[in-house]
Structure formats: C-alpha cells, structure tokens
C-alpha cells in the first residue's frame, strides 16, 4: 500500500533469500490493483539505473519475484510501486 493518509500503509520488503547459488528471491507486501517494479544497481552512488522487471501485478498480501544474480558479485535491489 501507499496511502499517505494511513500510517500503516507502506511498501515493505518482507523477505529475501539466495536460492541455488544463482537466484535471489525477494518478497514484499502488496495490495490489490497495484503494479510493482524491481530495479537494481551495483553501485548505490549511481542510484538504481537498471530495471529488472516491471508491471508485476499485485498478489495480495505478499508478492515475490526471483532474480538471476549468478554473474554479479555485488548487487542491490529496490522494489517500487508503479
């Protein structure tokens, strides 16, 4: 959720884990009728210039997505509401 009038409405990463040595699974809270994107970066001073995936439909109350990370030693991810 992202309702600015509700203090309990927030986008929150609820879990993440490595899977099989080459995949990274990220989970986040979601609400109906929203779409989400995952962005990535290898250097936080550059922000998040790479879009991993967009238009992920909400599957309330939790969404998850698996990202292939086997070729990158260090990577950061951000989940955002579109």
């Amino acid at each position: 959720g992202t309702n600015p009038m509700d203090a309990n409405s927030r986008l929150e990463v609820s879990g993440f884990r490595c899977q099989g040595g080459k995949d990274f699974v990220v989970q986040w809270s979601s609400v109906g009728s929203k779409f989400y994107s995952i962005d990535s970066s290898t250097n936080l001073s550059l922000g998040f210039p790479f879009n991993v995936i967009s238009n992920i439909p909400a599957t309330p109350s939790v969404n998850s997505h698996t990202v292939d990370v086997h070729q990158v030693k260090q990577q950061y991810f951000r989940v955002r509401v579109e």
Side-chain angles (χ1 to χ4, degrees):
T2 56
N3 181 348
M5 304 304 285
D6 182 353
N8 293 315
S9 177
R10 63 187 175 276
L11 176 60
E12 178 180 10
V13 172
S14 57
F16 51 89
R17 68 182 184 283
C18 289
Q19 181 174 297
K22 65 176 186 150
D23 292 331
F24 183 76
V25 180
V26 63
Q27 294 178 297
W28 64 94
S29 58
S30 64
V31 295
S33 74
K34 300 284 186 184
F35 288 84
Y36 300 89
S37 290
I38 299 175
D39 301 322
S40 71
S41 178
T42 55
N43 183 339
L44 289 178
S45 66
L46 300 176
F48 288 87
F50 307 109
N51 179 258
V52 176
I53 188 169
S54 57
N55 297 315
I56 303 169
T59 57
S61 66
V62 176
N63 268 54
S64 68
H65 186 76
T66 302
V67 179
D68 181 359
V69 295
H70 75 279
Q71 294 184 358
V72 180
K73 292 184 181 187
Q74 179 174 316
Q75 195 167 11
Y76 305 94
F77 295 97
R78 158 179 86 176
V79 177
R80 63 183 170 86
V81 178
E82 294 182 358

